[in-house]
Coordinates of all heavy atoms in Angstrom, one line a residue:
M10 N 0.8 -1.2 0.0 CA 0.0 0.0 0.0 C 0.9 1.2 0.0 O 1.9 1.3 0.7 CB -0.9 0.0 1.2 CG -1.8 1.1 1.3 SD -3.4 0.4 1.0 CE -4.4 1.8 0.7
L11 N 0.5 2.2 -0.8 CA 1.3 3.4 -0.9 C 0.9 4.4 0.1 O -0.2 4.5 0.5 CB 1.1 4.1 -2.3 CG 1.6 3.3 -3.5 CD1 1.3 4.0 -4.8 CD2 3.1 3.1 -3.4
S12 N 1.9 5.2 0.6 CA 1.6 6.2 1.5 C 0.9 7.4 0.8 O 0.8 7.4 -0.4 CB 2.8 6.7 2.2 OG 3.6 7.4 1.3
K13 N 0.3 8.3 1.5 CA -0.4 9.4 1.0 C 0.6 10.2 0.1 O 0.2 10.7 -1.0 CB -1.0 10.3 2.1 CG -2.0 11.2 1.6 CD -2.7 11.9 2.8 CE -4.1 12.2 2.3 NZ -5.0 12.6 3.4
E14 N 1.8 10.4 0.6 CA 2.8 11.2 -0.2 C 3.2 10.5 -1.5 O 3.3 11.1 -2.6 CB 4.0 11.4 0.7 CG 5.2 12.2 0.0 CD 4.8 13.6 -0.4 OE1 3.9 14.2 0.2 OE2 5.3 14.1 -1.4
D15 N 3.3 9.1 -1.4 CA 3.7 8.4 -2.6 C 2.5 8.4 -3.6 O 2.7 8.5 -4.8 CB 4.0 6.9 -2.2 CG 5.3 6.8 -1.5 OD1 6.2 7.7 -1.6 OD2 5.5 5.8 -0.8
S16 N 1.3 8.3 -3.1 CA 0.1 8.3 -4.0 C 0.0 9.7 -4.7 O -0.2 9.8 -5.9 CB -1.2 8.1 -3.2 OG -1.2 6.8 -2.7
R17 N 0.3 10.8 -4.0 CA 0.3 12.1 -4.6 C 1.4 12.2 -5.6 O 1.1 12.8 -6.7 CB 0.5 13.1 -3.5 CG 0.3 14.6 -4.0 CD 0.7 15.6 -2.9 NE 2.1 15.5 -2.6 CZ 3.1 16.0 -3.3 NH1 2.9 16.5 -4.5 NH2 4.4 15.9 -2.9
R18 N 2.5 11.7 -5.3 CA 3.7 11.8 -6.3 C 3.4 11.0 -7.5 O 3.7 11.4 -8.7 CB 4.9 11.4 -5.6 CG 6.2 11.4 -6.5 CD 6.6 12.8 -6.7 NE 7.8 12.7 -7.6 CZ 8.0 13.5 -8.6 NH1 7.2 14.5 -8.9 NH2 9.1 13.4 -9.3
L19 N 2.8 9.8 -7.4 CA 2.5 9.0 -8.5 C 1.4 9.6 -9.4 O 1.5 9.6 -10.6 CB 2.0 7.6 -8.0 CG 1.6 6.6 -9.1 CD1 2.8 6.3 -10.0 CD2 1.0 5.3 -8.5
A20 N 0.4 10.2 -8.8 CA -0.6 11.0 -9.6 C 0.0 12.1 -10.3 O -0.3 12.4 -11.5 CB -1.7 11.4 -8.6
Q21 N 0.9 12.8 -9.7 CA 1.6 13.9 -10.3 C 2.4 13.4 -11.5 O 2.4 14.0 -12.6 CB 2.5 14.6 -9.3 CG 3.3 15.8 -9.9 CD 4.2 16.4 -8.9 OE1 4.4 15.9 -7.8 NE2 4.7 17.6 -9.2
L22 N 3.1 12.3 -11.4 CA 3.9 11.7 -12.5 C 3.0 11.3 -13.6 O 3.3 11.5 -14.8 CB 4.7 10.6 -12.0 CG 5.9 10.9 -11.1 CD1 6.6 9.7 -10.6 CD2 7.0 11.7 -11.9
E23 N 1.8 10.7 -13.3 CA 0.9 10.3 -14.3 C 0.4 11.5 -15.1 O 0.3 11.5 -16.3 CB -0.3 9.6 -13.7 CG 0.1 8.2 -13.2 CD -1.1 7.5 -12.6 OE1 -2.2 8.1 -12.5 OE2 -0.9 6.4 -12.1
R24 N 0.0 12.6 -14.4 CA -0.5 13.8 -15.1 C 0.6 14.4 -16.0 O 0.3 14.8 -17.2 CB -0.9 14.9 -14.1 CG -2.3 14.6 -13.4 CD -2.8 15.8 -12.7 NE -1.8 16.2 -11.6 CZ -1.8 15.7 -10.4 NH1 -2.7 14.8 -10.0 NH2 -1.0 16.2 -9.5
Q25 N 1.8 14.4 -15.5 CA 2.9 14.9 -16.3 C 3.2 14.1 -17.6 O 3.4 14.6 -18.7 CB 4.2 15.0 -15.5 CG 5.4 15.5 -16.3 CD 6.6 15.5 -15.4 OE1 6.6 15.2 -14.2 NE2 7.7 16.0 -16.0
L26 N 3.1 12.8 -17.4 CA 3.3 11.9 -18.6 C 2.2 12.0 -19.6 O 2.4 12.0 -20.8 CB 3.4 10.4 -18.1 CG 3.6 9.4 -19.2 CD1 5.0 9.6 -19.9 CD2 3.6 8.0 -18.6
R27 N 0.9 12.2 -19.1 CA -0.2 12.4 -20.0 C -0.1 13.7 -20.8 O -0.5 13.7 -22.0 CB -1.5 12.4 -19.3 CG -1.9 11.0 -18.8 CD -3.3 11.0 -18.1 NE -3.6 9.8 -17.4 CZ -4.0 8.7 -17.9 NH1 -4.2 8.6 -19.2 NH2 -4.2 7.6 -17.1
R28 N 0.5 14.7 -20.2 CA 0.7 16.0 -20.9 C 1.8 15.9 -21.9 O 1.7 16.4 -23.0 CB 1.0 17.1 -19.9 CG -0.2 17.8 -19.3 CD 0.3 19.1 -18.6 NE 1.4 18.9 -17.7 CZ 1.4 18.7 -16.4 NH1 0.2 18.5 -15.9 NH2 2.5 18.5 -15.7
E29 N 2.9 15.2 -21.6 CA 4.0 15.1 -22.4 C 3.9 14.1 -23.6 O 4.4 14.4 -24.7 CB 5.3 14.8 -21.6 CG 5.7 16.0 -20.7 CD 6.8 15.6 -19.8 OE1 7.4 14.5 -19.9 OE2 7.2 16.5 -19.0
D30 N 3.3 13.0 -23.3 CA 3.2 12.0 -24.3 C 1.9 11.2 -24.3 O 1.8 10.1 -23.8 CB 4.4 11.0 -24.2 CG 4.6 10.1 -25.4 OD1 3.8 10.3 -26.4 OD2 5.6 9.3 -25.4
P31 N 0.8 11.9 -24.8 CA -0.5 11.2 -24.7 C -0.6 10.0 -25.6 O -1.4 9.1 -25.3 CB -1.5 12.3 -25.2 CG -0.6 13.3 -25.9 CD 0.7 13.2 -25.4
D32 N 0.1 9.9 -26.7 CA 0.1 8.7 -27.5 C 0.6 7.5 -26.8 O 0.1 6.4 -26.9 CB 0.9 8.9 -28.8 CG 0.3 9.9 -29.8 OD1 -1.0 10.1 -29.6 OD2 1.0 10.5 -30.6
F33 N 1.7 7.7 -26.1 CA 2.3 6.6 -25.3 C 1.3 6.1 -24.2 O 1.1 4.9 -24.0 CB 3.6 7.0 -24.6 CG 4.1 6.0 -23.7 CD1 4.8 4.9 -24.1 CD2 4.0 6.2 -22.3 CE1 5.3 4.0 -23.3 CE2 4.5 5.3 -21.4 CZ 5.2 4.2 -21.9
C34 N 0.6 7.1 -23.6 CA -0.3 6.7 -22.5 C -1.5 5.9 -23.1 O -2.0 4.9 -22.5 CB -0.8 7.9 -21.8 SG 0.4 8.7 -20.8
S35 N -2.0 6.3 -24.3 CA -3.1 5.6 -24.9 C -2.7 4.2 -25.4 O -3.5 3.3 -25.3 CB -3.7 6.4 -26.0 OG -2.8 6.5 -27.1
R36 N -1.4 4.1 -25.8 CA -1.0 2.7 -26.2 C -0.9 1.8 -25.0 O -1.2 0.7 -25.0 CB 0.4 2.8 -26.9 CG 0.3 3.3 -28.3 CD 1.6 3.1 -29.1 NE 2.8 3.6 -28.4 CZ 3.3 4.8 -28.6 NH1 2.7 5.7 -29.4 NH2 4.4 5.2 -27.9
M37 N -0.4 2.4 -23.9 CA -0.2 1.6 -22.7 C -1.6 1.2 -22.1 O -1.8 0.2 -21.5 CB 0.6 2.3 -21.6 CG 2.0 2.5 -22.0 SD 2.9 0.9 -22.1 CE 3.1 0.7 -23.9
A38 N -2.6 2.1 -22.3 CA -3.9 1.8 -21.8 C -4.7 0.9 -22.7 O -5.8 0.4 -22.4 CB -4.7 3.1 -21.7
G39 N -4.1 0.6 -23.9 CA -4.8 -0.3 -24.8 C -5.7 0.3 -25.8 O -6.3 -0.3 -26.6
G40 N -5.8 1.7 -25.7 CA -6.7 2.4 -26.6 C -5.9 2.8 -27.9 O -4.7 2.7 -28.0
R41 N -6.6 3.4 -28.8 CA -6.0 4.0 -30.0 C -5.6 5.4 -29.8 O -6.3 6.1 -29.0 CB -7.0 3.9 -31.2 CG -7.3 2.4 -31.5 CD -8.2 2.5 -32.8 NE -7.3 3.0 -33.8 CZ -7.2 2.5 -35.0 NH1 -7.9 1.4 -35.3 NH2 -6.5 3.0 -36.0
P42 N -4.6 5.9 -30.4 CA -4.2 7.3 -30.3 C -5.3 8.1 -30.9 O -6.0 7.7 -31.8 CB -2.9 7.4 -31.0 CG -2.8 6.2 -31.8 CD -3.6 5.1 -31.2
P43 N -5.5 9.3 -30.4 CA -6.6 10.2 -31.0 C -6.2 10.5 -32.4 O -5.1 10.6 -32.8 CB -6.5 11.4 -30.1 CG -5.2 11.4 -29.4 CD -4.8 10.0 -29.3
R44 N -7.3 10.7 -33.2 CA -7.1 11.1 -34.6 C -6.6 12.5 -34.7 O -7.0 13.4 -33.9 CB -8.4 11.0 -35.4 CG -8.8 9.5 -35.5 CD -10.0 9.4 -36.4 NE -9.5 9.6 -37.8 CZ -10.2 9.4 -38.9 NH1 -11.4 9.0 -38.7 NH2 -9.7 9.6 -40.0
R45 N -5.8 12.8 -35.7 CA -5.3 14.1 -35.9 C -6.4 15.0 -36.5 O -7.2 14.5 -37.3 CB -4.1 14.1 -36.8 CG -2.9 13.4 -36.2 CD -1.9 13.2 -37.2 NE -2.3 12.0 -37.9 CZ -1.5 11.2 -38.6 NH1 -0.2 11.6 -38.8 NH2 -1.9 10.1 -39.2
P46 N -6.5 16.3 -36.1 CA -7.5 17.1 -36.7 C -7.3 17.3 -38.2 O -6.2 17.3 -38.7 CB -7.3 18.4 -35.9 CG -6.0 18.4 -35.4 CD -5.6 17.0 -35.2
V47 N -8.4 17.6 -38.9 CA -8.3 17.8 -40.3 C -7.8 19.2 -40.5 O -8.3 20.2 -40.0 CB -9.8 17.7 -40.9 CG1 -9.7 18.1 -42.4 CG2 -10.3 16.3 -40.7
P48 N -6.7 19.4 -41.3 CA -6.2 20.7 -41.5 C -7.0 21.5 -42.5 O -7.1 21.2 -43.7 CB -4.8 20.4 -42.1 CG -4.9 19.0 -42.6 CD -5.9 18.3 -41.8
V49 N -7.7 22.5 -42.0 CA -8.6 23.3 -42.8 C -7.8 24.0 -43.9 O -8.3 24.2 -45.0 CB -9.3 24.3 -41.9 CG1 -10.2 25.2 -42.8 CG2 -10.1 23.6 -40.9
S50 N -6.5 24.4 -43.7 CA -5.8 25.1 -44.7 C -5.6 24.2 -45.9 O -5.6 24.7 -47.1 CB -4.4 25.5 -44.1 OG -3.7 24.3 -43.7
L51 N -5.4 22.9 -45.8 CA -5.3 22.0 -46.9 C -6.6 21.9 -47.7 O -6.6 21.9 -49.0 CB -4.8 20.6 -46.5 CG -3.3 20.4 -46.3 CD1 -3.0 19.0 -45.9 CD2 -2.5 20.8 -47.5
I52 N -7.7 21.9 -47.0 CA -9.0 21.8 -47.7 C -9.2 23.1 -48.5 O -9.6 23.1 -49.7 CB -10.1 21.6 -46.7 CG1 -10.0 20.2 -46.1 CG2 -11.5 21.8 -47.4 CD1 -10.9 20.0 -44.9
L53 N -8.9 24.2 -47.9 CA -9.0 25.5 -48.6 C -8.1 25.6 -49.8 O -8.5 26.0 -50.9 CB -8.8 26.7 -47.6 CG -8.9 28.1 -48.1 CD1 -10.3 28.3 -48.6 CD2 -8.5 29.1 -47.1
A54 N -6.9 25.2 -49.6 CA -5.9 25.2 -50.7 C -6.4 24.3 -51.9 O -6.3 24.8 -53.1 CB -4.5 24.8 -50.3
A55 N -6.8 23.1 -51.6 CA -7.3 22.2 -52.6 C -8.5 22.8 -53.4 O -8.6 22.8 -54.6 CB -7.7 20.9 -52.1
T56 N -9.4 23.5 -52.6 CA -10.6 24.1 -53.2 C -10.2 25.2 -54.2 O -10.7 25.3 -55.3 CB -11.6 24.6 -52.1 OG1 -11.9 23.5 -51.2 CG2 -12.8 25.2 -52.7
V57 N -9.3 26.0 -53.7 CA -8.9 27.2 -54.6 C -8.2 26.7 -55.8 O -8.4 27.2 -56.9 CB -7.9 28.1 -53.7 CG1 -7.2 29.1 -54.6 CG2 -8.7 28.8 -52.7
V58 N -7.3 25.6 -55.7 CA -6.6 25.1 -56.8 C -7.6 24.4 -57.8 O -7.4 24.6 -59.0 CB -5.5 24.2 -56.4 CG1 -4.8 23.5 -57.6 CG2 -4.4 25.0 -55.6
W59 N -8.6 23.7 -57.3 CA -9.6 23.1 -58.2 C -10.4 24.1 -58.9 O -10.6 24.0 -60.1 CB -10.5 22.2 -57.4 CG -10.1 20.8 -57.1 CD1 -9.8 20.3 -55.9 CD2 -9.8 19.8 -58.1 NE1 -9.4 19.0 -56.1 CE2 -9.4 18.6 -57.4 CE3 -9.9 19.7 -59.5 CZ2 -9.0 17.5 -58.0 CZ3 -9.5 18.5 -60.1 CH2 -9.1 17.4 -59.4
A60 N -10.8 25.2 -58.2 CA -11.5 26.3 -58.9 C -10.6 27.0 -60.0 O -11.1 27.3 -61.1 CB -11.9 27.3 -57.8
A61 N -9.4 27.2 -59.7 CA -8.5 27.7 -60.7 C -8.3 26.8 -61.9 O -8.3 27.3 -63.0 CB -7.1 28.0 -60.0
A62 N -8.3 25.5 -61.6 CA -8.2 24.6 -62.7 C -9.4 24.6 -63.6 O -9.3 24.6 -64.9 CB -7.9 23.1 -62.2
L63 N -10.6 24.7 -63.0 CA -11.8 24.8 -63.8 C -11.9 26.1 -64.6 O -12.3 26.1 -65.8 CB -13.0 24.7 -62.9 CG -13.3 23.3 -62.2 CD1 -14.4 23.4 -61.2 CD2 -13.6 22.3 -63.3
I64 N -11.5 27.2 -64.0 CA -11.5 28.5 -64.7 C -10.5 28.4 -65.9 O -10.8 28.9 -67.0 CB -11.2 29.6 -63.7 CG1 -12.3 29.8 -62.7 CG2 -10.9 30.9 -64.5 CD1 -12.0 30.7 -61.6
L65 N -9.3 27.9 -65.6 CA -8.3 27.8 -66.7 C -8.8 26.9 -67.8 O -8.6 27.2 -69.0 CB -7.0 27.3 -66.1 CG -6.2 28.3 -65.2 CD1 -5.1 27.5 -64.6 CD2 -5.8 29.5 -66.0
A66 N -9.5 25.9 -67.5 CA -10.1 25.0 -68.5 C -11.2 25.7 -69.4 O -11.2 25.5 -70.6 CB -10.6 23.7 -67.9
V67 N -12.0 26.5 -68.7 CA -13.0 27.2 -69.4 C -12.4 28.2 -70.3 O -12.9 28.4 -71.4 CB -14.0 27.8 -68.4 CG1 -15.0 28.8 -69.1 CG2 -14.8 26.8 -67.7
V68 N -11.4 28.9 -69.9 CA -10.7 29.9 -70.7 C -10.0 29.3 -71.9 O -9.9 29.9 -72.9 CB -9.7 30.7 -69.8 CG1 -8.9 31.7 -70.6 CG2 -10.5 31.5 -68.7
G69 N -9.6 28.1 -71.7 CA -9.0 27.4 -72.8 C -7.5 27.1 -72.7 O -6.8 26.7 -73.6
W70 N -7.0 27.4 -71.5 CA -5.5 27.2 -71.2 C -5.4 25.8 -70.6 O -5.4 25.6 -69.4 CB -5.0 28.2 -70.2 CG -4.9 29.6 -70.8 CD1 -5.0 29.9 -72.1 CD2 -4.8 30.8 -70.1 NE1 -4.9 31.3 -72.2 CE2 -4.8 31.8 -71.0 CE3 -4.7 31.1 -68.7 CZ2 -4.6 33.2 -70.6 CZ3 -4.5 32.4 -68.3 CH2 -4.5 33.4 -69.3
W71 N -5.4 24.8 -71.5 CA -5.5 23.4 -71.1 C -4.3 22.9 -70.4 O -4.4 22.2 -69.4 CB -5.7 22.5 -72.3 CG -7.1 22.7 -72.9 CD1 -7.4 23.4 -74.0 CD2 -8.3 22.3 -72.3 NE1 -8.8 23.4 -74.2 CE2 -9.4 22.8 -73.1 CE3 -8.7 21.6 -71.1 CZ2 -10.7 22.5 -72.8 CZ3 -10.0 21.3 -70.9 CH2 -11.0 21.8 -71.7
A72 N -3.1 23.4 -70.8 CA -1.9 23.0 -70.1 C -1.9 23.4 -68.7 O -1.5 22.7 -67.7 CB -0.6 23.5 -70.9
A73 N -2.2 24.7 -68.5 CA -2.3 25.3 -67.1 C -3.4 24.6 -66.3 O -3.2 24.3 -65.1 CB -2.5 26.8 -67.2
A74 N -4.5 24.3 -66.9 CA -5.6 23.6 -66.2 C -5.1 22.2 -65.8 O -5.5 21.8 -64.7 CB -6.8 23.5 -67.1
I75 N -4.4 21.5 -66.6 CA -3.9 20.2 -66.3 C -2.9 20.2 -65.1 O -3.0 19.4 -64.1 CB -3.3 19.5 -67.5 CG1 -4.4 19.1 -68.5 CG2 -2.5 18.2 -67.1 CD1 -3.9 18.6 -69.8
V76 N -2.0 21.2 -65.1 CA -1.0 21.4 -64.1 C -1.8 21.7 -62.7 O -1.5 21.1 -61.7 CB 0.0 22.4 -64.4 CG1 0.8 22.8 -63.2 CG2 0.9 22.0 -65.6
A77 N -2.7 22.6 -62.8 CA -3.5 22.9 -61.6 C -4.3 21.8 -61.1 O -4.4 21.5 -59.9 CB -4.4 24.1 -61.9
G78 N -4.8 21.0 -62.0 CA -5.6 19.8 -61.6 C -4.7 18.8 -60.9 O -5.1 18.1 -59.9
V79 N -3.5 18.6 -61.4 CA -2.6 17.6 -60.8 C -2.2 18.1 -59.4 O -2.1 17.3 -58.5 CB -1.3 17.4 -61.7 CG1 -0.2 16.7 -61.0 CG2 -1.7 16.7 -63.0
W80 N -1.9 19.4 -59.3 CA -1.6 19.9 -58.0 C -2.7 19.8 -57.0 O -2.5 19.5 -55.8 CB -1.1 21.4 -58.0 CG 0.4 21.5 -58.4 CD1 0.9 21.9 -59.5 CD2 1.4 21.1 -57.5 NE1 2.3 21.8 -59.4 CE2 2.6 21.3 -58.2 CE3 1.5 20.5 -56.2 CZ2 3.9 21.0 -57.7 CZ3 2.8 20.3 -55.7 CH2 3.9 20.5 -56.4
A81 N -3.9 20.0 -57.4 CA -5.1 19.8 -56.6 C -5.2 18.4 -56.1 O -5.5 18.1 -55.0 CB -6.4 20.3 -57.3
L82 N -4.9 17.5 -57.0 CA -4.9 16.0 -56.7 C -3.8 15.7 -55.7 O -4.1 15.0 -54.7 CB -4.7 15.2 -58.0 CG -4.8 13.7 -57.8 CD1 -6.2 13.3 -57.3 CD2 -4.5 13.0 -59.1
V83 N -2.6 16.3 -55.8 CA -1.6 16.1 -54.9 C -2.0 16.6 -53.5 O -1.7 15.9 -52.5 CB -0.3 16.8 -55.4 CG1 0.8 16.8 -54.3 CG2 0.3 16.1 -56.6
I84 N -2.6 17.7 -53.4 CA -3.0 18.3 -52.2 C -4.1 17.4 -51.5 O -4.0 17.1 -50.3 CB -3.6 19.7 -52.3 CG1 -2.4 20.7 -52.7 CG2 -4.2 20.2 -51.0 CD1 -2.9 22.0 -53.1
M85 N -5.0 16.8 -52.3 CA -6.0 16.0 -51.8 C -5.4 14.6 -51.3 O -5.9 14.1 -50.2 CB -7.1 15.7 -52.8 CG -7.9 16.9 -53.1 SD -8.7 17.7 -51.7 CE -9.9 16.5 -51.3
V86 N -4.4 14.1 -52.0 CA -3.8 12.9 -51.5 C -3.0 13.2 -50.2 O -3.1 12.3 -49.3 CB -2.8 12.4 -52.6 CG1 -1.9 11.3 -52.0 CG2 -3.6 11.8 -53.8
A87 N -2.4 14.3 -50.1 CA -1.7 14.7 -48.8 C -2.7 14.8 -47.7 O -2.4 14.4 -46.6 CB -0.9 16.0 -49.0
L88 N -3.9 15.4 -48.0 CA -4.9 15.5 -47.0 C -5.4 14.1 -46.5 O -5.6 13.9 -45.3 CB -6.1 16.3 -47.5 CG -7.3 16.6 -46.6 CD1 -6.8 17.4 -45.5 CD2 -8.4 17.2 -47.4
G89 N -5.6 13.2 -47.5 CA -6.0 11.9 -47.1 C -5.0 11.1 -46.3 O -5.3 10.4 -45.4
Y90 N -3.7 11.3 -46.7 CA -2.6 10.6 -46.0 C -2.5 11.2 -44.6 O -2.3 10.5 -43.6 CB -1.3 10.8 -46.7 CG -0.2 10.2 -46.1 CD1 0.0 8.8 -46.1 CD2 0.8 10.9 -45.4 CE1 1.1 8.2 -45.5 CE2 1.8 10.3 -44.7 CZ 2.0 8.9 -44.8 OH 3.0 8.3 -44.2
R91 N -2.7 12.5 -44.4 CA -2.5 13.1 -43.1 C -3.7 12.8 -42.2 O -3.5 12.7 -41.0 CB -2.5 14.6 -43.3 CG -2.6 15.4 -42.0 CD -1.5 16.5 -41.9 NE -1.6 17.4 -40.9 CZ -1.7 17.2 -39.6 NH1 -2.0 16.1 -39.2 NH2 -1.7 18.2 -38.8
C92 N -4.9 12.5 -42.7 CA -6.0 12.3 -41.9 C -6.4 10.8 -41.7 O -7.4 10.5 -41.0 CB -7.2 13.0 -42.5 SG -7.1 14.8 -42.4
R93 N -5.5 10.0 -42.2 CA -5.8 8.5 -42.0 C -5.7 8.1 -40.5 O -4.9 8.7 -39.8 CB -4.9 7.7 -42.9 CG -3.5 7.7 -42.5 CD -2.6 7.1 -43.5 NE -1.2 7.4 -43.2 CZ -0.3 6.5 -42.8 NH1 -0.6 5.3 -42.7 NH2 0.9 6.9 -42.5
P94 N -6.4 7.1 -40.1 CA -6.3 6.7 -38.7 C -4.9 6.1 -38.4 O -4.3 5.5 -39.3 CB -7.3 5.7 -38.5 CG -8.0 5.4 -39.8 CD -7.4 6.4 -40.8
A95 N -4.4 6.4 -37.3 CA -3.1 5.9 -36.9 C -3.1 4.4 -36.7 O -4.1 3.9 -36.1 CB -2.5 6.6 -35.7
R96 N -2.1 3.7 -37.1 CA -2.1 2.2 -36.9 C -1.1 2.0 -35.8 O -0.1 2.7 -35.6 CB -1.6 1.5 -38.2 CG -2.7 1.5 -39.2 CD -2.2 0.6 -40.4 NE -1.3 1.3 -41.2 CZ -0.5 0.8 -42.0 NH1 -0.5 -0.5 -42.2 NH2 0.4 1.5 -42.7
D97 N -1.4 0.9 -35.0 CA -0.5 0.5 -33.9 C 0.7 -0.2 -34.5 O 0.5 -1.3 -35.1 CB -1.3 -0.4 -32.9 CG -0.5 -0.6 -31.7 OD1 0.5 0.1 -31.4 OD2 -0.9 -1.5 -30.9
P98 N 1.9 0.3 -34.3 CA 3.0 -0.3 -35.0 C 3.4 -1.6 -34.3 O 4.1 -2.5 -34.9 CB 4.1 0.7 -34.8 CG 3.8 1.5 -33.6 CD 2.2 1.5 -33.6
V99 N 3.0 -1.9 -33.1 CA 3.3 -3.1 -32.3 C 2.1 -3.9 -32.1 O 1.1 -3.4 -31.6 CB 4.0 -2.7 -31.0 CG1 4.3 -4.0 -30.2 CG2 5.2 -1.9 -31.1
P100 N 2.0 -5.1 -32.6 CA 0.8 -5.9 -32.4 C 0.6 -6.3 -31.0 O 1.5 -6.4 -30.2 CB 1.1 -7.2 -33.2 CG 2.6 -7.3 -33.5 CD 3.1 -5.9 -33.4
D101 N -0.7 -6.4 -30.6 CA -1.0 -6.7 -29.2 C -0.7 -8.1 -28.8 O -0.5 -8.4 -27.7 CB -2.5 -6.5 -29.0 CG -2.8 -5.0 -29.0 OD1 -1.9 -4.2 -28.8 OD2 -4.0 -4.7 -29.3
T102 N -0.7 -9.1 -29.8 CA -0.5 -10.5 -29.5 C 0.7 -11.0 -30.3 O 1.1 -10.4 -31.3 CB -1.7 -11.3 -29.8 OG1 -2.0 -11.2 -31.2 CG2 -2.9 -10.9 -29.0
L103 N 1.3 -12.0 -29.8 CA 2.4 -12.7 -30.5 C 1.9 -13.6 -31.6 O 0.8 -14.1 -31.4 CB 3.3 -13.5 -29.5 CG 4.0 -12.6 -28.5 CD1 4.7 -13.6 -27.5 CD2 5.1 -11.8 -29.1
P104 N 2.6 -13.8 -32.6 CA 2.2 -14.8 -33.6 C 2.1 -16.2 -33.1 O 2.8 -16.5 -32.1 CB 3.3 -14.7 -34.7 CG 4.4 -14.0 -34.1 CD 3.9 -13.2 -32.9
P105 N 1.3 -17.0 -33.7 CA 1.2 -18.4 -33.2 C 2.6 -19.1 -33.2 O 3.4 -18.9 -34.1 CB 0.3 -19.1 -34.2 CG -0.4 -18.0 -34.9 CD 0.5 -16.8 -34.8
G106 N 2.8 -19.9 -32.2 CA 4.1 -20.6 -32.0 C 5.1 -19.9 -31.2 O 6.2 -20.5 -30.9
W107 N 4.8 -18.8 -30.6 CA 5.8 -18.1 -29.8 C 5.5 -18.4 -28.4 O 4.7 -18.2 -27.7 CB 5.8 -16.6 -30.1 CG 6.5 -16.2 -31.3 CD1 6.0 -16.3 -32.6 CD2 7.8 -15.7 -31.4 NE1 6.9 -15.9 -33.4 CE2 8.0 -15.5 -32.8 CE3 8.8 -15.4 -30.5 CZ2 9.2 -15.1 -33.2 CZ3 10.0 -15.0 -31.0 CH2 10.2 -14.8 -32.4

């Protein structure tokens, strides 16, 4: 049984660890790390570039429209990659035979 001082110190260490490394704490608790927030700046940038690509296509500048479309696609792929759920790099169980 821990003394009152030891319990207080342990609680203080737990709070400090949760502040400094929440991903580690969630892995140790068996939960998944929280999802990263969606970056609004990437969504806005992709929207602006797609609109520019459409305008350039309507005007008739096909080469510029294709380049803008490719860049908008790159931004959307980056957004999808950034917002994907985090995978646990260490499996919870050992493979059969261990």
